Amino acid sequence: MSEPALMAEAFRYCPACRHPNPEPGVIPFRCAKCSFTFFFGPVAAVGGLIINSRGRLLLVRRSRDPGAGKWGLPGGFVDRNETIESALHREIMEETGLKVTRQTLLTTGPNSYTYQGVTADVVDLFYVCRVASTRSIQLAADELSEYRWCIPGKDELDDMAFPSNRMAVRVWLDRRRSQ
């Protein structure tokens, strides 16, 4: 399997004037002909640490790549013209059918997301969430295959789809222990 390409490598030609790019992958992209500049800033993504009344965390098993078969947190990318909080509510509703009633920022961190051979830089924002009810979980079958309420241990942490999800769960576990 070949190495994933960086998003910057896709700029083989200037998107403004179509002049050939002699150095694909160099960040920032600067066109020698028209001076168009593109910085390839990271995209934003959200993740929800949903806690039930027993203090257990909701983990979801991914059913597609990246990370198919591994545990993760409900969440996803922030859409254009969408607030971080709106994206969090939308993603959790789409993936689990749960309605977020309250969220508190837990931590943020860098991530990278490789999809169809192209890697994008991502900034993840993780929130501890309360939901209206935890009894009616309806997983998005095209994205998730199962869920588990637990206090994650080594088995779950070692089987997480994304290092940033693992980091967020560890932050939550550390705060939980200190309270």
Side-chain angles (χ1 to χ4, degrees):
M1 183 176 201
S2 64
E3 281 289 309
L6 297 174
M7 183 69 70
E9 293 171 357
F11 275 57
R12 303 226 179 265
Y13 296 90
C14 175
C17 74
R18 299 184 185 191
H19 184 72
N21 178 6
E23 299 179 292
V26 172
I27 299 173
F29 167 81
R30 283 189 168 83
C31 179
K33 184 175 179 187
C34 74
S35 299
F36 173 81
T37 303
F38 193 82
F39 291 92
F40 300 96
V43 296
V46 293
L49 287 87
I50 301 169
I51 313 302
N52 69 10
S53 61
R54 297 179 52 216
R56 307 267 189 230
L57 176 67
L58 177 66
L59 294 181
V60 291
R61 191 174 301 274
R62 296 178 57 83
S63 61
R64 66 180 183 190
D65 282 327
K70 296 189 175 290
W71 291 112
L73 299 168
F77 289 104
V78 178
D79 290 340
R80 176 177 282 140
N81 297 320
E82 184 176 43
T83 67
I84 299 294
E85 295 80 9
S86 294
L88 179 71
H89 291 225
R90 176 185 52 76
E91 285 287 348
I92 289 173
M93 177 61 76
E94 287 175 3
E95 292 187 359
T96 67
L98 298 175
K99 181 179 180 187
V100 173
T101 58
R102 188 174 72 213
Q103 74 276 335
T104 304
L105 182 63
L106 174 68
T107 190
T108 65
N111 191 10
S112 61
Y113 187 87
T114 302
Y115 182 71
Q116 296 186 349
V118 177
T119 301
D121 292 321
V122 181
V123 173
D124 285 336
L125 299 101
F126 293 98
Y127 288 82
V128 175
C129 300
R130 297 289 175 178
V131 294
S133 171
T134 58
R135 296 174 192 215
S136 59
I137 294 177
Q138 299 171 2
L139 296 180
D142 62 330
E143 294 188 41
L144 305 171
S145 61
E146 72 176 285
Y147 69 91
R148 176 184 294 173
W149 291 104
C150 65
I151 304 300
K154 182 176 179 357
D155 289 343
E156 291 87 5
L157 290 169
D158 287 347
D159 197 29
M160 298 289 288
F162 303 109
S164 63
N165 280 208
R166 183 180 307 110
M167 178 270 308
V169 171
R170 284 187 174 138
V171 169
W172 178 76
L173 288 168
D174 289 345
R175 290 197 183 166
R176 185 177 180 275
R177 281 186 208 105
S178 68
Q179 293 178 349

